[in-house]
């Protein structure tokens, strides 16, 4: 897979916000699914949000109503706005782009290298 690069991670206190971004390739929009995953040490990488080419979104329950996935078409960037952060959101976050919305990032054509998010209580 080709590598993407995320940015925007860092340390924040509980209740704070962070905005992650990921430059995505110039890809045929009719075949794109864009997603954010996160992983903590010892656990599997889980998809937390995905954005389909038709604009539909899907969030895992733990981030629903707090995180927003979007695409900045002008900058060709995938965004994850994270609000009301909690210590349990602490993880490495990864972006992924592919031709279908797989639940595993293994099958995405483009994957990021990860950016660390740490939320302190």
């Amino acid at each position: 897979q080709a590598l993407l690069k995320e940015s925007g991670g860092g340390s924040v206190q509980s209740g704070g916000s962070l905005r992650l971004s990921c430059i995505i390739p110039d890809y045929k929009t009719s075949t794109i699914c864009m997603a954010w995953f996160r992983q903590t040490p010892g656990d599997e990488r889980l998809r937390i949000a995905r954005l389909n080419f038709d604009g539909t979104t899907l969030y895992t329950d733990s981030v629903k109503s707090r995180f927003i996935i979007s695409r900045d078409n002008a900058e060709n960037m995938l965004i994850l706005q994270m609000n009301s952060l909690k210590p349990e959101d602490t993880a490495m976050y990864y972006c992924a782009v592919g031709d279908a919305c797989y639940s595993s990032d293994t099958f995405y054509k483009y994957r990021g290298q990860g950016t660390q998010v740490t939320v302190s209580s």
Side-chain angles (χ1 to χ4, degrees):
Q1 288 104 345
L3 290 178
L4 306 175
K5 184 165 176 60
E6 303 88 346
S7 60
S11 297
V12 65
Q13 289 192 323
S14 182
S17 297
L18 282 174
R19 181 177 181 269
L20 305 184
S21 61
C22 169
I23 297 175
I24 60 179
D26 189 11
Y27 207 64
K28 289 185 178 181
T29 57
S30 61
T31 59
I32 276 187
C33 182
M34 296 157 283
W36 286 96
F37 291 77
R38 71 183 182 188
Q39 185 175 27
T40 52
D43 293 330
E44 65 177 304
R45 194 170 299 182
L46 298 176
R47 192 180 69 191
I48 58 169
R50 62 103 163 137
L51 171 64
N52 205 358
F53 71 95
D54 61 1
T56 57
T57 58
L58 183 68
Y59 300 90
T60 191
D61 285 346
S62 61
V63 307
K64 201 175 295 183
S65 78
R66 299 188 297 123
F67 291 10
I68 301 171
I69 185 171
S70 63
R71 178 178 180 172
D72 183 333
N73 288 319
E75 300 291 333
N76 247 16
M77 293 177 69
L78 180 66
I79 308 295
L80 185 68
Q81 178 65 43
M82 305 188 295
N83 302 317
S84 303
L85 283 162
K86 305 175 181 180
E88 51 264 43
D89 294 318
T90 296
M92 188 73 80
Y93 285 71
Y94 302 85
C95 61
V97 176
D99 57 6
C101 287
Y102 305 104
S103 59
S104 169
D105 73 332
T106 304
F107 302 107
Y108 286 74
K109 183 174 182 178
Y110 301 92
R111 296 193 294 170
Q113 302 172 63
T115 186
Q116 178 68 37
V117 170
T118 302
V119 184
S120 58
S121 56

